[in-house]
Coordinates of all heavy atoms in Angstrom, one line a residue:
S1 N 169.2 33.1 10.6 CA 168.8 32.5 9.4 C 167.8 31.3 9.7 O 168.2 30.4 10.5 CB 169.9 32.0 8.6 OG 170.5 30.9 9.2
S2 N 166.6 31.4 9.2 CA 165.7 30.3 9.5 C 165.7 29.3 8.3 O 166.0 29.6 7.2 CB 164.2 30.9 9.6 OG 163.9 31.4 8.3
Q3 N 165.6 28.1 8.7 CA 165.6 27.0 7.7 C 164.2 26.5 7.4 O 163.4 26.4 8.2 CB 166.4 25.8 8.3 CG 166.6 24.7 7.4 CD 167.5 23.6 8.0 OE1 167.8 23.6 9.2 NE2 167.9 22.6 7.2
T4 N 164.0 26.4 6.1 CA 162.7 26.0 5.6 C 162.6 24.5 5.7 O 163.5 23.8 5.2 CB 162.4 26.5 4.1 OG1 162.6 27.9 4.1 CG2 161.1 26.0 3.6
I5 N 161.5 24.0 6.3 CA 161.2 22.6 6.3 C 160.3 22.2 5.2 O 159.3 22.7 5.0 CB 160.6 22.2 7.7 CG1 161.5 22.5 8.8 CG2 160.2 20.7 7.6 CD1 160.9 22.3 10.2
I6 N 160.8 21.2 4.4 CA 160.1 20.8 3.2 C 159.4 19.5 3.5 O 160.1 18.5 3.9 CB 161.0 20.7 2.0 CG1 161.6 22.0 1.6 CG2 160.2 20.1 0.8 CD1 162.7 22.0 0.6
M7 N 158.1 19.5 3.4 CA 157.3 18.2 3.6 C 156.9 17.7 2.3 O 156.4 18.4 1.4 CB 156.1 18.6 4.5 CG 156.4 19.2 5.8 SD 157.3 18.0 6.9 CE 155.9 17.0 7.4
D8 N 156.9 16.3 2.1 CA 156.4 15.6 1.0 C 155.1 15.0 1.4 O 155.0 14.4 2.5 CB 157.4 14.6 0.5 CG 158.5 15.2 -0.4 OD1 158.4 16.3 -0.9 OD2 159.6 14.5 -0.5
T9 N 154.2 14.9 0.4 CA 152.9 14.2 0.7 C 152.9 12.9 -0.2 O 153.3 13.0 -1.4 CB 151.7 15.1 0.3 OG1 151.8 16.2 1.2 CG2 150.4 14.3 0.5
Y10 N 152.5 11.8 0.3 CA 152.4 10.6 -0.4 C 151.0 10.0 -0.4 O 150.4 10.0 0.7 CB 153.4 9.5 0.2 CG 154.9 10.0 0.2 CD1 155.4 10.7 1.2 CD2 155.7 9.7 -0.9 CE1 156.7 11.2 1.2 CE2 157.0 10.1 -1.0 CZ 157.5 10.8 0.1 OH 158.8 11.3 0.0
N11 N 150.6 9.4 -1.4 CA 149.4 8.6 -1.5 C 149.8 7.1 -1.3 O 150.6 6.6 -2.1 CB 148.6 8.8 -2.8 CG 148.1 10.2 -2.9 OD1 147.4 10.7 -2.1 ND2 148.6 10.9 -4.0
V12 N 149.2 6.4 -0.4 CA 149.5 5.0 -0.1 C 148.3 4.2 -0.1 O 147.2 4.7 0.1 CB 150.3 4.9 1.2 CG1 151.6 5.6 1.1 CG2 149.5 5.4 2.4
K13 N 148.4 2.9 -0.3 CA 147.3 2.0 -0.2 C 147.8 0.6 0.2 O 149.0 0.3 0.1 CB 146.6 1.9 -1.5 CG 147.4 1.3 -2.7 CD 146.6 1.3 -4.0 CE 147.5 0.8 -5.1 NZ 146.7 0.8 -6.4
C14 N 146.8 -0.2 0.7 CA 147.1 -1.6 1.1 C 147.3 -2.4 -0.2 O 146.9 -1.9 -1.3 CB 146.1 -2.2 2.0 SG 144.5 -2.4 1.2
H15 N 147.7 -3.6 -0.1 CA 148.0 -4.4 -1.3 C 146.7 -4.7 -2.1 O 146.8 -4.9 -3.3 CB 148.7 -5.7 -1.0 CG 148.0 -6.7 -0.2 ND1 148.0 -6.6 1.2 CD2 147.2 -7.7 -0.5 CE1 147.2 -7.6 1.7 NE2 146.7 -8.2 0.7
C16 N 145.5 -4.8 -1.5 CA 144.3 -5.1 -2.2 C 143.7 -3.8 -2.7 O 142.8 -3.9 -3.6 CB 143.3 -5.8 -1.3 SG 142.5 -4.8 0.0
G17 N 144.1 -2.6 -2.3 CA 143.6 -1.4 -2.8 C 142.4 -0.8 -2.1 O 141.9 0.3 -2.4
N18 N 141.8 -1.6 -1.1 CA 140.6 -1.1 -0.5 C 140.8 -0.1 0.6 O 139.9 0.6 0.9 CB 139.9 -2.3 0.2 CG 139.3 -3.2 -0.8 OD1 138.9 -2.8 -1.9 ND2 139.2 -4.5 -0.5
I19 N 142.0 0.1 1.1 CA 142.3 1.1 2.1 C 143.4 2.0 1.4 O 144.4 1.6 1.0 CB 142.9 0.4 3.3 CG1 141.8 -0.5 4.0 CG2 143.3 1.5 4.3 CD1 142.3 -1.3 5.1
R20 N 143.0 3.3 1.4 CA 143.9 4.3 0.8 C 144.1 5.4 1.9 O 143.2 5.7 2.7 CB 143.3 4.9 -0.4 CG 143.2 3.9 -1.6 CD 142.7 4.5 -2.9 NE 141.4 5.2 -2.6 CZ 141.1 6.5 -2.9 NH1 142.0 7.3 -3.4 NH2 139.9 7.0 -2.7
A21 N 145.3 6.0 1.9 CA 145.6 7.0 2.8 C 146.6 8.0 2.2 O 147.2 7.7 1.2 CB 146.2 6.4 4.1
K22 N 146.8 9.1 2.9 CA 147.8 10.1 2.6 C 148.7 10.2 3.8 O 148.2 10.1 5.0 CB 147.2 11.4 2.2 CG 146.5 11.4 0.9 CD 146.0 12.8 0.5 CE 145.3 12.6 -0.9 NZ 145.3 13.9 -1.6
L23 N 149.9 10.5 3.6 CA 150.9 10.8 4.7 C 151.8 11.9 4.2 O 152.1 12.1 3.1 CB 151.6 9.6 5.2 CG 152.5 8.9 4.2 CD1 153.9 9.4 4.4 CD2 152.5 7.4 4.4
T24 N 152.3 12.6 5.2 CA 153.4 13.6 5.0 C 154.6 13.2 5.8 O 154.4 12.6 6.9 CB 152.9 15.0 5.3 OG1 152.6 15.1 6.7 CG2 151.7 15.5 4.4
R25 N 155.7 13.6 5.3 CA 156.9 13.4 6.1 C 158.0 14.5 5.6 O 157.9 15.0 4.5 CB 157.5 12.0 6.0 CG 157.9 11.6 4.6 CD 158.5 10.2 4.5 NE 159.6 10.1 5.4 CZ 160.9 10.3 5.1 NH1 161.2 10.8 3.9 NH2 161.9 10.1 6.0
Q26 N 158.8 14.8 6.6 CA 159.9 15.8 6.3 C 160.8 15.2 5.3 O 161.4 14.1 5.5 CB 160.6 16.2 7.5 CG 161.5 17.4 7.4 CD 162.0 17.9 8.7 OE1 161.4 17.8 9.7 NE2 163.3 18.4 8.7
K27 N 161.0 15.9 4.2 CA 161.8 15.4 3.0 C 163.2 15.0 3.4 O 163.7 14.0 2.9 CB 161.8 16.4 1.9 CG 162.4 15.9 0.6 CD 162.2 16.9 -0.5 CE 162.7 16.3 -1.8 NZ 162.2 17.1 -2.9
D28 N 163.9 15.8 4.2 CA 165.3 15.5 4.4 C 165.6 14.5 5.5 O 166.8 14.3 5.8 CB 166.1 16.9 4.7 CG 165.5 17.6 5.9 OD1 164.4 17.3 6.4 OD2 166.2 18.6 6.3
L29 N 164.6 14.0 6.2 CA 164.9 13.0 7.2 C 164.9 11.6 6.7 O 164.2 11.3 5.7 CB 163.7 13.0 8.3 CG 163.7 14.3 9.1 CD1 162.5 14.2 10.1 CD2 165.0 14.5 9.9
P30 N 165.8 10.7 7.2 CA 165.8 9.3 6.7 C 164.5 8.6 7.0 O 163.9 8.9 8.0 CB 167.0 8.7 7.4 CG 167.3 9.6 8.6 CD 166.7 11.0 8.3
L31 N 164.2 7.7 6.2 CA 163.0 6.8 6.4 C 163.5 5.4 6.8 O 164.2 4.8 6.1 CB 162.2 6.8 5.2 CG 160.9 5.9 5.2 CD1 159.9 6.5 6.3 CD2 160.2 5.9 3.9
V32 N 163.1 5.0 8.0 CA 163.5 3.6 8.4 C 162.4 2.7 8.0 O 161.2 2.9 8.3 CB 163.6 3.6 10.0 CG1 163.9 2.2 10.5 CG2 164.7 4.6 10.4
V33 N 162.8 1.6 7.3 CA 161.8 0.6 6.8 C 162.3 -0.8 7.3 O 163.4 -1.0 7.6 CB 161.6 0.6 5.3 CG1 161.1 2.0 4.8 CG2 162.9 0.3 4.6
W34 N 161.3 -1.7 7.3 CA 161.7 -3.1 7.6 C 160.9 -4.0 6.7 O 159.8 -3.7 6.3 CB 161.6 -3.4 9.1 CG 160.2 -3.4 9.6 CD1 159.3 -4.4 9.8 CD2 159.4 -2.2 10.1 NE1 158.1 -4.0 10.3 CE2 158.2 -2.7 10.5 CE3 159.7 -0.9 10.2 CZ2 157.2 -1.8 11.0 CZ3 158.8 0.0 10.7 CH2 157.5 -0.5 11.1
E35 N 161.4 -5.2 6.6 CA 160.7 -6.2 5.8 C 159.9 -7.1 6.7 O 160.3 -7.5 7.8 CB 161.7 -7.1 5.1 CG 162.5 -6.4 4.0 CD 163.5 -7.3 3.3 OE1 163.3 -8.5 3.3 OE2 164.5 -6.8 2.8
C36 N 158.7 -7.4 6.2 CA 157.8 -8.4 6.9 C 158.1 -9.7 6.3 O 158.4 -9.9 5.2 CB 156.3 -8.0 6.6 SG 155.2 -9.2 7.3
N37 N 158.1 -10.8 7.2 CA 158.4 -12.1 6.7 C 157.2 -13.0 6.4 O 157.3 -14.2 6.2 CB 159.3 -12.8 7.7 CG 158.7 -13.0 9.1 OD1 157.5 -12.7 9.3 ND2 159.4 -13.6 9.9
C38 N 155.9 -12.4 6.4 CA 154.8 -13.2 6.1 C 154.8 -13.5 4.6 O 155.5 -12.8 3.8 CB 153.5 -12.4 6.4 SG 152.9 -11.2 5.3
S39 N 154.1 -14.5 4.2 CA 154.2 -15.0 2.8 C 153.7 -13.9 1.8 O 154.2 -13.7 0.7 CB 153.5 -16.3 2.6 OG 152.1 -16.1 2.9
D40 N 152.6 -13.2 2.2 CA 152.1 -12.2 1.3 C 153.0 -11.0 1.1 O 153.3 -10.6 -0.1 CB 150.7 -11.7 1.8 CG 150.0 -10.8 0.8 OD1 149.8 -11.3 -0.3 OD2 149.5 -9.7 1.1
C41 N 153.5 -10.4 2.2 CA 154.5 -9.3 2.0 C 155.8 -9.8 1.3 O 156.3 -9.0 0.5 CB 154.8 -8.7 3.4 SG 153.4 -7.8 4.1
N42 N 156.2 -11.0 1.6 CA 157.4 -11.5 1.0 C 157.2 -11.6 -0.5 O 158.1 -11.2 -1.3 CB 157.8 -12.8 1.6 CG 159.2 -13.2 1.4 OD1 160.0 -12.5 0.8 ND2 159.5 -14.4 1.9
M43 N 156.1 -12.1 -0.9 CA 155.8 -12.3 -2.4 C 155.7 -10.9 -3.1 O 156.2 -10.8 -4.2 CB 154.5 -13.0 -2.5 CG 154.1 -13.2 -4.0 SD 152.5 -14.0 -4.2 CE 151.4 -12.7 -3.5
R44 N 155.1 -10.0 -2.4 CA 155.0 -8.6 -3.0 C 156.2 -7.7 -2.8 O 156.2 -6.6 -3.2 CB 153.7 -8.0 -2.4 CG 152.5 -8.7 -2.7 CD 151.3 -8.0 -2.0 NE 150.1 -8.9 -2.0 CZ 149.3 -8.9 -3.0 NH1 149.5 -8.2 -4.1 NH2 148.2 -9.7 -3.0
R45 N 157.1 -8.2 -2.0 CA 158.4 -7.4 -1.6 C 158.0 -6.1 -0.9 O 158.6 -5.1 -1.2 CB 159.2 -7.2 -2.9 CG 159.6 -8.5 -3.6 CD 160.4 -8.3 -4.8 NE 161.8 -7.7 -4.4 CZ 162.9 -8.5 -4.3 NH1 162.8 -9.7 -4.5 NH2 164.0 -7.9 -4.0
N46 N 157.0 -6.2 -0.1 CA 156.6 -5.0 0.7 C 157.6 -4.6 1.7 O 158.2 -5.5 2.4 CB 155.2 -5.3 1.4 CG 154.1 -5.3 0.5 OD1 154.2 -5.0 -0.7 ND2 152.9 -5.8 1.0
L47 N 157.7 -3.3 1.9 CA 158.5 -2.8 3.0 C 157.6 -2.0 3.9 O 156.6 -1.3 3.4 CB 159.6 -1.9 2.5 CG 160.7 -2.6 1.6 CD1 161.6 -1.5 1.1 CD2 161.4 -3.6 2.4
H48 N 157.8 -2.0 5.2 CA 156.9 -1.3 6.1 C 157.6 -0.2 6.8 O 158.8 -0.2 7.0 CB 156.4 -2.3 7.2 CG 155.6 -3.4 6.6 ND1 154.3 -3.4 6.4 CD2 156.0 -4.6 6.1 CE1 153.9 -4.5 5.9 NE2 154.9 -5.3 5.7
F49 N 156.9 0.9 7.2 CA 157.4 2.0 7.9 C 156.3 2.7 8.7 O 155.2 2.3 8.6 CB 158.0 3.1 6.9 CG 157.0 3.6 6.0 CD1 156.4 4.8 6.2 CD2 156.8 3.0 4.8 CE1 155.5 5.3 5.4 CE2 155.8 3.5 3.9 CZ 155.2 4.7 4.2
M50 N 156.7 3.5 9.6 CA 155.8 4.2 10.5 C 155.9 5.7 10.4 O 157.0 6.2 10.1 CB 156.0 3.8 11.9 CG 155.5 2.5 12.3 SD 155.4 2.3 14.0 CE 156.6 1.1 14.3
V51 N 154.8 6.4 10.5 CA 154.8 7.9 10.6 C 153.9 8.3 11.8 O 153.1 7.5 12.2 CB 154.2 8.5 9.3 CG1 155.1 8.2 8.1 CG2 152.8 8.1 9.0
P52 N 154.2 9.4 12.4 CA 153.3 9.9 13.5 C 151.9 10.0 13.0 O 151.6 10.4 11.9 CB 153.9 11.3 13.8 CG 155.3 11.3 13.3 CD 155.3 10.4 12.1
A53 N 150.9 9.7 13.9 CA 149.5 9.8 13.6 C 149.1 11.2 13.0 O 148.3 11.3 12.2 CB 148.7 9.5 14.8
R54 N 149.8 12.2 13.5 CA 149.4 13.6 13.0 C 149.7 13.8 11.6 O 149.3 14.7 10.9 CB 150.2 14.6 13.9 CG 151.6 14.7 13.6 CD 152.4 15.7 14.5 NE 153.8 15.7 14.2 CZ 154.6 14.9 14.9 NH1 154.2 14.2 15.9 NH2 155.9 14.9 14.6
D55 N 150.6 12.9 11.0 CA 151.0 13.0 9.6 C 150.3 12.0 8.7 O 150.7 11.8 7.6 CB 152.5 12.8 9.5 CG 153.3 13.9 10.2 OD1 152.7 15.0 10.4 OD2 154.4 13.7 10.6
F56 N 149.2 11.4 9.2 CA 148.5 10.3 8.5 C 147.0 10.6 8.4 O 146.4 10.9 9.4 CB 148.7 9.0 9.2 CG 148.1 7.8 8.5 CD1 148.7 7.1 7.6 CD2 146.8 7.4 8.9 CE1 148.2 6.0 7.0 CE2 146.2 6.3 8.3 CZ 146.9 5.6 7.4
W57 N 146.5 10.5 7.1 CA 145.0 10.7 6.9 C 144.5 9.5 6.2 O 144.9 9.2 5.1 CB 144.8 12.0 6.1 CG 145.3 13.2 6.8 CD1 144.6 13.9 7.7 CD2 146.5 13.8 6.7 NE1 145.3 15.0 8.2 CE2 146.6 14.9 7.6 CE3 147.7 13.5 6.0 CZ2 147.7 15.7 7.7 CZ3 148.8 14.3 6.1 CH2 148.8 15.4 7.0
L58 N 143.5 8.9 6.7 CA 142.8 7.8 6.1 C 141.8 8.4 5.0 O 141.0 9.3 5.3 CB 142.0 7.0 7.1 CG 141.4 5.7 6.6 CD1 142.5 4.7 6.1 CD2 140.6 5.0 7.8
V59 N 141.9 7.9 3.8 CA 141.1 8.4 2.7 C 139.9 7.5 2.5 O 138.8 7.9 2.4 CB 141.9 8.6 1.4 CG1 141.0 9.0 0.3 CG2 143.0 9.6 1.6
E60 N 140.2 6.2 2.4 CA 139.1 5.2 2.2 C 139.5 3.9 2.8 O 140.6 3.4 2.7 CB 139.0 5.0 0.6 CG 137.8 4.2 0.2 CD 137.7 4.1 -1.3 OE1 137.8 5.1 -2.0 OE2 137.7 3.0 -1.8
P61 N 138.6 3.2 3.5 CA 137.3 3.7 3.9 C 137.4 4.8 5.0 O 138.4 4.9 5.7 CB 136.7 2.4 4.6 CG 137.8 1.6 5.1 CD 139.0 1.9 4.1
A62 N 136.3 5.6 5.0 CA 136.3 6.7 5.9 C 136.4 6.3 7.4 O 136.9 7.0 8.2 CB 135.1 7.6 5.7
S63 N 135.8 5.2 7.7 CA 135.9 4.7 9.1 C 135.7 3.2 9.2 O 135.2 2.6 8.2 CB 134.8 5.4 9.9 OG 133.5 5.0 9.4
G64 N 136.0 2.6 10.3 CA 135.8 1.2 10.5 C 136.8 0.3 9.8 O 137.4 0.7 8.8
G65 N 137.0 -0.9 10.3 CA 137.9 -1.9 9.7 C 139.4 -1.6 9.9 O 140.2 -2.3 9.4
I66 N 139.7 -0.5 10.6 CA 141.1 -0.2 10.8 C 141.5 -0.3 12.2 O 140.8 0.1 13.1 CB 141.4 1.2 10.3 CG1 141.0 1.5 8.9 CG2 142.9 1.6 10.5 CD1 141.7 0.6 7.9
H67 N 142.6 -1.0 12.5 CA 143.1 -1.1 13.9 C 144.5 -0.5 14.0 O 145.4 -1.1 13.3 CB 143.1 -2.6 14.3 CG 143.7 -2.8 15.7 ND1 143.1 -2.3 16.8 CD2 144.8 -3.3 16.1 CE1 143.8 -2.6 17.9 NE2 144.9 -3.2 17.4
A68 N 144.6 0.6 14.7 CA 146.0 1.2 14.9 C 146.6 0.5 16.1 O 145.9 0.3 17.1 CB 145.8 2.7 15.0
V69 N 147.8 0.2 16.0 CA 148.5 -0.4 17.2 C 149.5 0.6 17.7 O 150.1 1.4 17.0 CB 149.2 -1.7 16.8 CG1 148.2 -2.8 16.4 CG2 150.3 -1.5 15.7
N70 N 149.7 0.5 19.0 CA 150.8 1.3 19.7 C 152.0 0.5 19.8 O 152.0 -0.7 19.5 CB 150.3 1.9 21.0 CG 149.9 0.8 22.0 OD1 150.5 -0.2 22.1 ND2 148.9 1.1 22.8
D71 N 153.1 1.1 20.3 CA 154.4 0.4 20.5 C 154.3 -0.9 21.3 O 154.9 -1.9 21.0 CB 155.4 1.3 21.0 CG 155.8 2.4 20.0 OD1 155.6 2.2 18.8 OD2 156.4 3.4 20.5
D72 N 153.5 -0.8 22.4 CA 153.3 -2.0 23.3 C 152.7 -3.2 22.6 O 153.1 -4.3 22.7 CB 152.5 -1.6 24.6 CG 153.2 -0.6 25.4 OD1 154.5 -0.6 25.4 OD2 152.5 0.1 26.2
E73 N 151.6 -2.9 21.8 CA 151.0 -4.0 21.1 C 151.9 -4.6 20.0 O 151.9 -5.8 19.8 CB 149.7 -3.4 20.4 CG 148.6 -3.1 21.3 CD 147.4 -2.5 20.6 OE1 147.6 -1.5 19.9 OE2 146.3 -3.1 20.8
M74 N 152.7 -3.8 19.4 CA 153.6 -4.3 18.4 C 154.6 -5.2 19.0 O 155.0 -6.2 18.5 CB 154.3 -3.1 17.6 CG 153.4 -2.4 16.7 SD 154.2 -1.2 15.7 CE 155.2 -2.4 14.6
E75 N 155.1 -4.8 20.2 CA 156.1 -5.6 20.9 C 155.5 -6.9 21.3 O 156.1 -8.0 21.1 CB 156.6 -4.8 22.1 CG 157.8 -5.5 22.8 CD 158.3 -4.5 23.9 OE1 158.7 -3.4 23.5 OE2 158.4 -5.0 25.0
E76 N 154.2 -6.9 21.8 CA 153.5 -8.2 22.1 C 153.3 -9.1 20.9 O 153.6 -10.3 20.9 CB 152.2 -7.9 22.7 CG 152.2 -7.3 24.1 CD 150.9 -6.8 24.6 OE1 149.8 -7.2 24.0 OE2 150.8 -6.1 25.6
D77 N 152.9 -8.5 19.8 CA 152.7 -9.3 18.5 C 154.0 -9.9 18.1 O 154.0 -11.1 17.7 CB 152.2 -8.4 17.4 CG 150.7 -8.0 17.6 OD1 150.1 -8.6 18.4 OD2 150.3 -7.0 16.9
T78 N 155.1 -9.2 18.2 CA 156.4 -9.7 17.8 C 156.8 -10.9 18.6 O 157.4 -11.9 18.1 CB 157.5 -8.6 17.9 OG1 157.1 -7.5 17.1 CG2 158.8 -9.1 17.4
Q79 N 156.5 -10.9 19.9 CA 156.9 -12.0 20.8 C 156.1 -13.2 20.6 O 156.5 -14.3 20.9 CB 156.7 -11.5 22.3 CG 157.7 -10.4 22.7 CD 157.5 -9.8 24.0 OE1 156.5 -10.2 24.7 NE2 158.3 -8.9 24.4
H80 N 154.9 -13.1 20.0 CA 154.0 -14.3 19.8 C 154.2 -14.9 18.5 O 153.6 -16.0 18.2 CB 152.5 -13.8 20.0 CG 152.2 -13.5 21.4 ND1 151.9 -12.3 21.8 CD2 152.1 -14.3 22.5 CE1 151.6 -12.3 23.1 NE2 151.7 -13.5 23.5
Q81 N 155.1 -14.4 17.6 CA 155.2 -15.0 16.3 C 156.2 -16.1 16.3 O 157.1 -16.3 17.1 CB 155.7 -14.0 15.3 CG 154.6 -13.0 15.0 CD 155.0 -12.0 14.0 OE1 156.1 -11.9 13.5 NE2 154.1 -11.1 13.7

């Protein structure tokens, strides 16, 4: 018996709306999120999560102005705060 994997597609955007993207994720898997403690995210009650790059598509802007970080960079950023 084969099990059908159901994927959901989400439209997401940054808080100012200038950057829009789509992502997919497997519907039955838990989503791990965390709270950012910066004043902007705290005020907006934003929650952050990660998806594999293969499941993420930038819609707008088409290029430029985006910096993707890897796990090592995130670890370094956390240590400097």
Side-chain angles (χ1 to χ4, degrees):
S1 72
S2 65
Q3 186 176 8
T4 302
I5 297 174
I6 299 173
M7 301 294 283
D8 281 340
T9 300
Y10 299 89
N11 294 304
V12 296
K13 63 182 177 178
C14 68
H15 66 272
C16 73
N18 288 332
I19 298 172
R20 295 182 304 122
K22 290 186 179 203
L23 64 94
T24 60
R25 64 179 302 273
Q26 190 171 329
K27 186 174 186 164
D28 60 346
L29 292 180
L31 180 63
V32 176
V33 298
W34 67 94
E35 294 182 23
C36 176
N37 64 359
C38 80
S39 60
D40 192 51
C41 287
N42 199 2
M43 178 182 68
R44 297 173 192 280
R45 303 180 67 98
N46 287 348
L47 297 174
H48 300 270
F49 61 93
M50 286 195 247
V51 296
R54 69 178 177 271
D55 296 334
F56 180 86
W57 298 271
L58 190 60
V59 175
E60 190 177 305
S63 64
I66 305 296
H67 175 68
V69 295
N70 62 34
D71 290 340
D72 294 335
E73 288 175 306
M74 288 188 68
E75 192 171 300
E76 290 172 11
D77 287 345
T78 303
Q79 292 173 359
H80 289 111
Q81 291 181 359

